[in-house]
């Protein structure tokens, strides 16, 4: 039973690794065309984000079913991928927010994007602050996390005005 659980956990980690690469590509779309808010690209980013986050939950459960001997290695790989997912989400959210914030006039639906990405920034910042992920963070992720925290604080300070403008 443990061997089967080990293989399944390894298989799922490999699949997630591939999905993380795809998520990274989608998260870069706003940087490729920063003059335009593309809601199709945004929806693709959100869908892939949801997939990856759901898959993290499934994989964590699978790892908990593995044998003691393999669990530590699988957890290390899992933590690495968890940081990768949340780092990409943080970077992607910052990219979409940057495009939104640079617009003088925002198209319909932008407020929804803005609120969703604020939530993603907050969640990413909270997860990436956890001590267990400290060794997996690269310097640029720490910088992005700090930038997200500053943006969040500024937005929270201005939130009543921003939310009443919609």
């Amino acid at each position: 039973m443990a061997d089967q659980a080990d293989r399944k956990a390894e298989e799922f980690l490999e699949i997630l690794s591939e999905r993380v690469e795809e998520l990274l590509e989608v998260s870069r779309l706003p940087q490729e065309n920063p003059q335009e808010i593309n809601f199709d690209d945004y929806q693709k980013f959100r869908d892939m984000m949801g997939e990856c986050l759901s898959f993290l939950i499934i994989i964590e459960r699978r790892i908990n079913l593995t044998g003691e001997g393999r669990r530590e290695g699988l957890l290390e790989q899992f933590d690495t991928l968890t940081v990768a997912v949340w780092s990409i989400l943080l970077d992607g959210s910052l990219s979409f927010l940057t495009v939104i914030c640079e617009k003088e006039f925002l198209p319909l639906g932008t407020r929804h994007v803005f609120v969703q990405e604020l939530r993603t920034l907050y969640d990413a910042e909270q997860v990436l602050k956890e001590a267990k992920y400290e060794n997996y963070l690269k310097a640029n992720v720490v910088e992005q996390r700090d930038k997200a925290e500053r943006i969040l604080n500024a937005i929270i300070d201005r939130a009543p005005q921003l939310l009443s403008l919609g």
Side-chain angles (χ1 to χ4, degrees), residues 26-154:
V26 173
S27 75
R28 292 180 174 154
L29 293 174
Q31 297 163 3
E32 293 172 6
N33 191 6
Q35 301 82 359
E36 191 175 313
I37 299 171
N38 186 318
F39 289 103
D40 290 335
D41 290 345
Y42 176 72
Q43 190 57 51
K44 189 174 182 181
F45 173 72
R46 295 300 299 184
D47 290 346
M48 290 193 75
M49 177 182 92
E51 257 183 63
C52 287
L53 293 176
S54 297
F55 211 31
L56 283 172
I57 295 167
I58 293 166
I59 292 170
E60 187 172 33
R61 174 149 164 58
R62 288 287 181 176
I63 290 173
N64 289 332
L65 298 174
T66 63
E68 274 307 308
R70 279 292 288 137
R71 189 171 298 147
E72 189 174 325
L74 292 171
L75 278 173
E76 186 173 327
Q77 190 177 357
F78 175 78
D79 288 347
T80 300
L81 286 170
T82 298
V83 168
V85 167
W86 282 104
S87 299
I88 293 167
L89 296 181
L90 178 69
D91 191 48
S93 290
L94 286 171
S95 294
F96 280 103
L97 280 175
T98 299
V99 169
I100 290 170
C101 291
E102 289 177 358
K103 296 289 179 197
E104 186 174 342
F105 299 102
L106 297 175
L108 196 60
T110 308
R111 181 177 175 184
H112 174 72
V113 171
F114 186 75
V115 170
Q116 279 192 309
E117 292 319 302
L118 279 181
R119 181 67 193 177
T120 300
L121 280 180
Y122 176 79
D123 291 344
E125 197 251 337
Q126 294 302 306
V127 169
L128 294 173
K129 277 188 350 187
E130 291 182 34
K132 72 179 187 174
Y133 298 126
E134 190 174 307
N135 294 331
Y136 300 99
L137 295 175
K138 296 176 183 165
N140 67 326
V141 175
V142 174
E143 290 171 17
Q144 289 290 71
R145 191 186 71 199
D146 292 343
K147 181 179 178 180
E149 186 173 15
R150 288 191 307 274
I151 289 171
L152 279 172
N153 287 334

